[in-house]
Amino acid sequence: MPQGTGEGARLLTGVQARRTAERRLREEITRGVVVPGQRLVEPELGERYGVTRNSARLALDALIAEGLVERIPNRGARVRVMSGAEAVAVLECRQVLDGLLAAKAAEHATGAQAERLRATLERLRRAVADHELLECWDLLQEHHRLVADAARQPLASSLVARLQGRVARSQFQLLLRPGRAQQALAELADVVDAVAGGRPADADRAARAHVQSGIDALAAESPEG
């Protein structure tokens, strides 16, 4: 993968290039490197990510489908501006699906999957203690991937993946608030305990409670709420 795109640098093309640009742009939107309303110019993105202009355009198309980016007639693409009320609506859908996945994970998780969930929780505990918020964010996403894998419910998992992109930035901003990482840790500890213990109803409640705390925080700051 190229580290720079100066004169003579070889640009990535094809599926690998599109995935690279898509992943990096999604991360930059989530973490606020590019902000809502900011224009996204294909040649500039290609240069930044070391991919061809066509690959950058395909990456934009993928993020448009996720709801992270939008095209404005005669003005090009920009990071989509999402209201607090819209983020809350997405999380309300996520809440049901996350509860379902946690319940199914409690029914189907193997011993090895339960151990991976516990290990991820322990890594999250250390990251919270060390105030490593970027690491916390990555581990939160890993937790949700592990639950989805254990759930054996591919339709719900795919729906969650489609919704997640729309609220990732809002959730990341919430994580930066004092005390939020500690709260998320406690909430996910309840989820892991219920999944590992084979208690579907408790897992459902714990997963819904985790999402509800995010809904409450966003609704409190949203002028539409």
Side-chain angles (χ1 to χ4, degrees):
M1 184 178 300
Q3 298 301 311
T5 56
E7 186 175 354
R10 183 179 179 182
L11 300 178
L12 288 176
T13 188
V15 174
Q16 180 187 4
R18 190 266 298 168
R19 288 176 177 169
T20 295
E22 182 183 332
R23 173 182 55 79
R24 291 188 59 187
L25 180 55
R26 186 186 294 108
E27 289 175 352
E28 290 186 347
I29 292 172
T30 297
R31 296 179 178 180
V33 177
V34 293
V35 298
Q38 183 171 332
R39 288 191 65 210
L40 300 169
V41 181
E42 291 164 8
E44 293 177 1
L45 294 175
E47 182 177 357
R48 185 154 84 238
Y49 303 144
V51 303
T52 63
R53 178 174 180 170
N54 184 61
S55 296
R57 180 168 62 252
L58 292 173
L60 286 175
D61 288 342
L63 296 188
I64 287 169
E66 288 184 16
L68 281 176
V69 173
E70 61 185 349
R71 290 196 188 276
I72 307 299
N74 303 316
R75 297 182 63 183
R78 71 175 187 179
V79 180
R80 188 166 174 268
V81 178
M82 176 177 284
S83 69
E86 187 176 357
V88 166
V90 172
L91 283 176
E92 287 173 340
C93 296
R94 275 284 308 270
Q95 186 176 37
V96 177
L97 292 166
D98 279 18
L100 171 63
L101 288 173
K104 290 294 184 181
E107 292 178 8
H108 300 300
T110 65
Q113 287 172 322
E115 280 305 309
R116 283 194 288 272
L117 277 168
R118 291 191 185 100
T120 298
L121 183 68
E122 184 56 35
R123 291 168 60 201
L124 177 60
R125 184 172 287 112
R126 291 196 297 268
V128 170
D130 293 338
H131 305 286
E132 295 287 350
L133 293 181
L134 291 179
E135 178 72 6
C136 288
W137 173 256
D138 290 340
L139 289 168
L140 288 170
Q141 306 321 300
E142 178 66 13
H143 164 89
H144 289 297
R145 284 192 293 270
L146 290 172
V147 170
D149 287 345
R152 305 181 195 175
Q153 226 292 6
L155 178 56
S157 298
S158 66
L159 291 172
V160 166
R162 289 179 65 96
L163 291 171
Q164 173 59 17
R166 299 193 176 202
V167 291
R169 185 178 185 278
S170 297
Q171 290 180 312
F172 184 75
Q173 294 301 312
L174 284 178
L175 187 64
L176 301 181
R177 291 182 179 184
R180 177 59 187 170
Q182 290 84 351
Q183 181 180 359
L185 173 63
E187 292 163 354
L188 294 190
D190 290 340
V191 176
V192 172
D193 182 64
V195 170
R199 304 192 309 276
D202 289 343
D204 185 356
R205 281 192 293 270
R208 287 174 182 252
H210 173 57
V211 179
Q212 185 63 48
S213 67
I215 291 173
D216 292 343
L218 286 174
E221 69 179 16
S222 172
E224 301 96 330

